[in-house]
Amino acid sequence: MITLNVNGVAHTLDIDPAMPLLYALRNHLSLNGAKYGCGLGQCGACTVIVGDTAVVSCLLPSGAVGDRKVRTIEGLGTAEKPGRLQKGFMDKQAAQCGYCIAGMIMRAQALLDRTPGATEAQIRAELEPNLCRCGTHMRIVAAIVAAAAATPIAHAGEAVDDAA
C-alpha cells in the first residue's frame, strides 16, 4: 500500500511501488489528463508536478513520490472555471489534437510557480523537453506568455489564486 496526495486529496492504493506514477494516476485514480506518449520520458505528454518540479510520470515509480504532493491538469481548474494557463490555451487556440497539452500546461505551471512573470525565453527553455507533433508551438508559447503576464506575484505568506 502506498499513499499518494494528488490534487490535495490523499489516496491509499494497493499497487506495486514500482508502478509508474502515470499508470497509478490513469488506471487507479481515473485522472486521464496526463497521457502515455513514448513511455521513455522523451515527449512530455505525461508531465505532472511532483512537489514543485515538473516530472515525466511514465518514468517515476509511484513509490518514489513519497510525501511530495502531486498535481495534475485536473487540479488546475474545471471546464466551468479553468485555471489561468488553461484559459490562455483556450484563448490562443493552442491545441490542435490536444494530446500534448496537459503535459505542456503542467510544465508551464511549474515554471510560473517558480518564476511568476517568466519571460518568453524562459518559457521556451522550460518547454524544450515537451513535444507537440502538430506543430502548434508558437500558439503554445503565446498562451503561456499571456498567462505569465497575468500571473499575480505572491508576497511572502500570501496565497495566489491561479484561477482566472
Side-chain angles (χ1 to χ4, degrees), residues 38 43 52 57 71 103:
C38 66
C43 72
D52 59 358
S57 61
R71 290 170 64 196

Side-chain angles (χ1 to χ4, degrees), residues 7-25:
N7 300 327
V9 178
H11 302 273
T12 300
L13 303 174
D14 185 12
I15 60 174
D16 182 340
M19 174 184 286
L21 177 60
L22 176 64
Y23 297 164
L25 295 171

Side-chain angles (χ1 to χ4, degrees), residues 126-142:
E126 183 73 15
L127 291 181
E128 191 173 323
N130 289 56
L131 302 176
C132 171
R133 293 191 170 100
C134 300
T136 62
H137 290 94
M138 298 304 288
R139 287 183 280 164
I140 289 169
V141 170

Side-chain angles (χ1 to χ4, degrees), residues 7 14 21 37 45 58-59 66 93-94 96 113-115 117 125 127 143 150 161 163:
N7 300 327
D14 185 12
L21 177 60
C58 68
L59 296 181
Q93 299 182 4
Q96 187 164 327
D113 288 347
R114 286 190 320 271
T115 312
L127 291 181
D161 180 8

Side-chain angles (χ1 to χ4, degrees), residues 16-26 34-50 54-65 68 107 129-130:
D16 182 340
M19 174 184 286
L21 177 60
L22 176 64
Y23 297 164
L25 295 171
R26 292 183 60 84
K35 302 291 189 270
Y36 180 87
C38 66
L40 301 170
Q42 296 178 347
C43 72
C46 64
T47 302
V48 299
I49 299 173
V50 177
V55 300
V56 287
S57 61
C58 68
L59 296 181
L60 182 66
S62 296
V65 172
R68 296 177 292 172
R107 186 165 299 279
N130 289 56

